[in-house]
Amino acid sequence: ARVHGSGGAAALGEMLANVKQKTKDLDSLAMSIDALLEVEEGADAQLHQQHGERWACVRSSALTADARRELAQTREEIAQAEAANEALSTHHADHEDCLSLLDLDAGALAGRVPQAEEGSRLADLECVGDIRTLLASLSSCSETRTAAIAEARALAERDDITAQLVYRGEAAGGSNEPIFERALSRYEKFRERVSQAAQLQEELLVALKTSNETFADARDSDPSVPAREAFFAKIDRALRAHTELESQLLQGLEYCGAADERLQALQQTVVSLAGARAVERDQLLQSLQQEEPPPPFTPSVPPSVPPSVPPPAFEAPPVPAVPLAVTVPEHAPPLYQPPPVLGVSPGKSSIHPAGEPSPRKTVQWPDKAHQPQSQPPYGPPPVPVGAGWSAPPP
């Protein structure tokens, strides 16, 4: 009934397949977590190698050490679970034949019990009937003795001789012996009934022993007994195998559930760590790019001009020759005439005739209002009209 209530041998096979599939799912989840750790550590190692000491960031391998240890321990447990699943599969296959008997109901199972040939069955032997009668008599004898003891106990609870001992016994100057004898005489009938039941029980046991020896001799000579005992032993092995497999598979399902919760939590931790590290790397990369100077500008050379030949210099357009039409007179005044020096007469040197400088004189600058109107401001002298020079012909 217990086996049928749990689904029988078929349900046991489905449970085994479920445990094996859950174990494979755990291994796949562990591999995905290991891949996440590899990607995170590889990206961090590449940036450390690229930027060297400028990459002021804790290595990912130091942050993922705890996750690595937990993942390694869980993967070892998964490997042990897979080995246990293989052992359970072998055990189930070895007992699959006998486990199929547990799917039969009681009537079908009783019909498969090996029986002796017609007329030689043990149930038809005289000793078997004697054994059954003797067993029933032993049960009746036991019930008689139990009933006598129960009646005696009930009488003892109702029969109180305390008052007789106080008023008629030694306390009152009498004797206690007559009181005890009268009280015990009332239990004599119960003693006789118990004694008779015990004697009858001894006689029944002797007769039962004789009949049992006869039955044992007949059973040993029955050719169907070994086959029947083998059948019962097969059922016993099936029950024990079903109990062991069911218990171990339930433990396997419980472990798979707990391991899945741990791996799911570990995966979430690794994903959160990878996301935080990605943000940290992006910020550090931006700060490093702001610190680096821009690369030097290298002008590009057109492909048609070889790099070894310098580009041609700028050439100004030619200016046509224009003849000058200016005529300079023979007695023309010089183009540049210095302004007169105040306090010195024109045509006379400011140097003393004797070769010594003339005595220094104090020069008084006139006011603008008293400046002569005939003195023009400084400028080149005018050129007379018609005067000029012509350039010789080429």
Side-chain angles (χ1 to χ4, degrees):
R2 181 184 64 81
V3 175
H4 289 171
S6 62
L12 199 65
E14 293 178 359
M15 189 183 301
L16 177 60
N18 190 17
V19 171
K20 295 173 70 175
Q21 183 60 43
K22 286 183 177 294
T23 307
K24 291 181 180 179
D25 294 341
L26 289 177
D27 188 54
S28 300
L29 182 57
M31 292 178 64
S32 66
I33 296 174
D34 185 69
L36 289 174
L37 292 174
E38 289 290 342
V39 171
E40 168 59 28
E41 294 172 356
D44 182 73
Q46 183 178 3
L47 290 172
H48 271 281
Q49 183 178 5
Q50 179 180 357
H51 297 281
E53 297 181 354
R54 298 181 62 199
W55 190 254
C57 186
V58 181
R59 289 187 177 271
S60 294
S61 57
L63 300 177
T64 59
D66 294 339
R68 282 287 188 186
R69 284 192 294 269
E70 183 177 355
L71 181 61
Q73 181 180 359
T74 305
R75 298 190 76 171
E76 290 180 1
E77 295 176 357
I78 293 174
Q80 296 175 1
E82 290 177 346
N85 292 341
E86 293 299 327
L88 289 176
S89 299
T90 303
H91 190 52
H92 181 266
D94 294 341
H95 296 82
E96 190 173 3
D97 184 27
C98 61
L99 287 173
S100 61
L101 295 174
L102 302 179
D103 291 334
L104 302 176
D105 55 12
L109 192 62
R112 291 198 177 191
V113 177
Q115 300 293 336
E117 297 180 0
E118 191 67 26
S120 61
R121 299 176 57 184
L122 293 177
D124 298 335
L125 297 177
E126 184 179 358
C127 63
V128 175
D130 294 341
I131 291 174
R132 289 176 178 174
T133 303
L134 290 172
L135 290 174
S137 300
L138 282 173
S139 177
S140 177
C141 180
S142 177
E143 292 175 358
T144 301
R145 184 178 58 184
T146 303
I149 294 173
E151 291 178 7
R153 288 177 176 175
L155 180 60
E157 292 178 356
R158 296 191 305 269
D159 192 6
D160 188 5
I161 61 173
T162 303
Q164 297 180 14
L165 292 174
V166 172
Y167 294 106
R168 297 180 185 179
E170 295 179 355
S175 175
N176 294 334
E177 294 297 330
I179 299 174
F180 288 140
E181 290 177 359
R182 285 193 301 269
L184 292 176
S185 64
R186 290 193 291 268
Y187 297 94
E188 186 65 23
K189 57 181 178 180
F190 301 113
R191 186 186 66 81
E192 292 179 357
R193 288 169 57 182
V194 171
S195 178
Q196 292 175 0
Q199 183 178 0
L200 179 60
Q201 182 178 0
E202 292 292 334
E203 295 174 356
L204 290 174
L205 288 174
V206 172
L208 181 62
K209 181 179 180 182
T210 302
S211 299
N212 187 56
E213 291 175 353
T214 304
F215 174 78
D217 294 339
R219 185 189 61 183
D220 293 341
S221 61
D222 186 359
S224 64
V225 172
R228 190 161 49 250
E229 290 180 350
F231 180 77
F232 291 145
K234 186 177 182 179
I235 294 177
D236 182 66
R237 289 195 306 271
L239 286 172
R240 285 189 284 108
H242 185 278
T243 303
E244 293 175 0
L245 287 171
E246 185 180 31
S247 176
Q248 293 178 0
L249 289 175
L250 288 175
Q251 293 178 7
L253 288 175
E254 183 179 359
Y255 165 75
C256 290
D260 183 71
E261 292 180 0
R262 293 201 309 269
L263 287 178
Q264 292 287 351
L266 181 60
Q267 184 184 38
Q268 184 62 35
T269 301
V270 173
V271 170
S272 301
L273 174 63
R277 295 286 290 175
V279 173
E280 183 180 3
R281 284 194 293 268
D282 291 342
Q283 295 176 354
L284 188 56
L285 281 174
Q286 292 178 3
S287 64
L288 291 178
Q289 290 175 358
Q290 293 176 359
E291 294 176 1
E292 292 180 356
F297 174 75
T298 304
S300 60
V301 181
S304 59
V305 180
S308 59
V309 179
F314 174 76
E315 296 182 359
V319 179
V322 178
L324 297 178
V326 179
T327 304
V328 181
E330 296 179 359
H331 302 284
L335 296 177
Y336 173 74
Q337 183 175 1
V341 179
L342 298 178
V344 181
S345 300
K348 294 183 179 181
S349 174
S350 61
I351 303 298
H352 197 269
E356 296 179 0
S358 59
R360 183 179 302 273
K361 297 182 180 181
T362 302
V363 180
Q364 299 293 331
W365 293 98
D367 295 335
K368 292 182 179 180
H370 301 283
Q371 291 182 0
Q373 297 296 328
S374 60
Q375 180 73 25
Y378 170 76
V383 179
V385 180
W389 60 277
S390 298

